[in-house]
Amino acid sequence: MPSFHNGAVEIAYLDEGEGDPIILVHGFASSKNVNWVYPTWVSELRKNGRRVIALDNRGHGESAKLYEPTQYSIPTMARDVLALMDHLAIPQADMMGYSMGGRMTAWLSLNEPQRLRSAILGGIGIGGLIEGTGPGESVAKALEAPSLDDVTDPVGRTFRAFADQTRSDRRALAACLRGTRDLMTKEEAARIDVPVLIAVGSTDDVAGSASALGAIIPGSEVLDIPNRDHMRAVGDKVYKTGVLDFLSRRG
């Protein structure tokens, strides 16, 4: 798997297919494989004539593991994505982020709009981006617990089980969670002016309301993924169809 360095931090990535580039940014405790390869996003996008780039965020997958929360702010992690674009000489691309990756994509939409042709915010509504309803300290403590049996918090149990399943570095994930608490204000979200699609499962109680976020970001489109929670929306057919339609209308 190819990798590059952003400063001292090694970042693993994949780069497959030909055509207009789309960059995929995975969610917390996930990886490029778990979020995008295994649910067939990479193959679907390639079939639709896209060059697909996906990275393992710092602390995740095959990228470097860091243990200080200060090394994981949303702007810092978003700049890893920019560094990858620079490494591959990609001046502008469509970008799809899921959950934490959606927060990174929203930050780039606001602060580096010239680099994004469009932004797809998956698994991130008003709660996760603005109100701070995403996973918090209880999840960090769940990741640090001796075993899943020691975790009683239901959200903590979900993320701990996921981290165990993906054989993640749980200490790095706890540092990441504590470091990525940056939120966006309503006023900042209202200044995003790239084309935006917000896609959230209808039973996702982690992301918060997609329509409420859509009411803030000018001109954004909202895609409800029926009967899917935060974890199960990722590979859903409605999500894929909606994203492909959105991308096709970008030209």
Side-chain angles (χ1 to χ4, degrees), residues 221-242:
E221 300 180 28
V222 172
L223 173 65
D224 291 314
I225 307 167
N227 305 311
R228 291 287 187 247
D229 62 18
H230 196 67
M231 298 295 185
R232 293 188 304 132
V234 174
D236 188 85
K237 185 177 180 181
V238 171
Y239 182 18
K240 288 177 184 156
T241 302

Side-chain angles (χ1 to χ4, degrees), residues 5-238:
H5 281 81
N6 184 21
V9 180
E10 185 174 16
I11 301 292
Y13 67 95
L14 63 80
D15 180 2
E16 299 181 5
E18 297 177 359
D20 290 336
I22 181 166
I23 298 172
L24 308 179
V25 189
H26 68 74
F28 173 72
S30 192
S31 69
K32 62 185 180 311
N33 288 336
V34 172
N35 215 144
W36 308 119
V37 177
Y38 303 153
T40 72
W41 273 106
V42 173
S43 58
E44 288 286 333
L45 288 162
R46 286 185 62 182
K47 275 194 289 187
N48 279 267
R50 288 283 174 155
R51 177 185 177 188
V52 185
I53 298 107
L55 75 160
D56 280 334
N57 290 320
R58 55 176 61 200
H60 296 72
E62 298 172 271
S63 290
K65 308 303 185 292
L66 310 168
Y67 301 103
E68 294 297 327
T70 54
Q71 297 171 301
Y72 287 103
S73 72
I74 289 294
T76 297
M77 296 181 73
R79 289 188 188 103
D80 288 337
V81 183
L82 289 180
L84 175 58
M85 294 176 71
D86 292 343
H87 174 71
L88 297 174
I90 297 173
Q92 188 182 53
D94 296 296
M95 189 174 296
M96 175 162 61
Y98 196 84
S99 194
M100 179 183 75
R103 292 167 63 203
M104 294 162 62
T105 301
W107 188 91
L108 289 168
S109 300
L110 176 64
N111 293 282
E112 299 286 345
Q114 73 281 3
R115 304 301 299 269
L116 272 66
R117 189 164 168 267
S118 71
I120 299 160
L121 309 181
I124 192 81
I126 194 170
L129 187 65
I130 293 171
E131 296 175 347
T133 59
E137 182 61 21
S138 63
V139 173
K141 288 180 176 175
L143 291 164
E144 294 171 330
S147 74
L148 180 61
D149 293 337
D150 297 293
V151 181
T152 55
D153 176 74
V155 177
R157 282 186 65 85
T158 298
F159 278 93
R160 171 56 186 265
F162 186 57
D164 286 347
Q165 178 188 344
T166 55
R167 297 184 178 87
S168 297
D169 184 324
R170 293 183 287 103
R171 190 160 69 93
L173 292 184
C176 176
L177 187 55
R178 292 183 173 117
T180 51
R181 290 182 171 162
D182 330 57
L183 296 172
M184 187 174 282
T185 67
K186 287 183 179 180
E187 291 75 20
E188 287 171 330
R191 297 207 309 270
I192 293 174
D193 64 359
V194 303
V196 172
L197 174 68
I198 303 164
V200 175
S202 64
T203 62
D204 186 338
D205 54 5
V206 174
S209 170
S211 59
L213 181 59
I216 295 169
I217 300 177
S220 58
E221 300 180 28
V222 172
L223 173 65
D224 291 314
I225 307 167
N227 305 311
R228 291 287 187 247
D229 62 18
H230 196 67
M231 298 295 185
R232 293 188 304 132
V234 174
D236 188 85
K237 185 177 180 181
V238 171

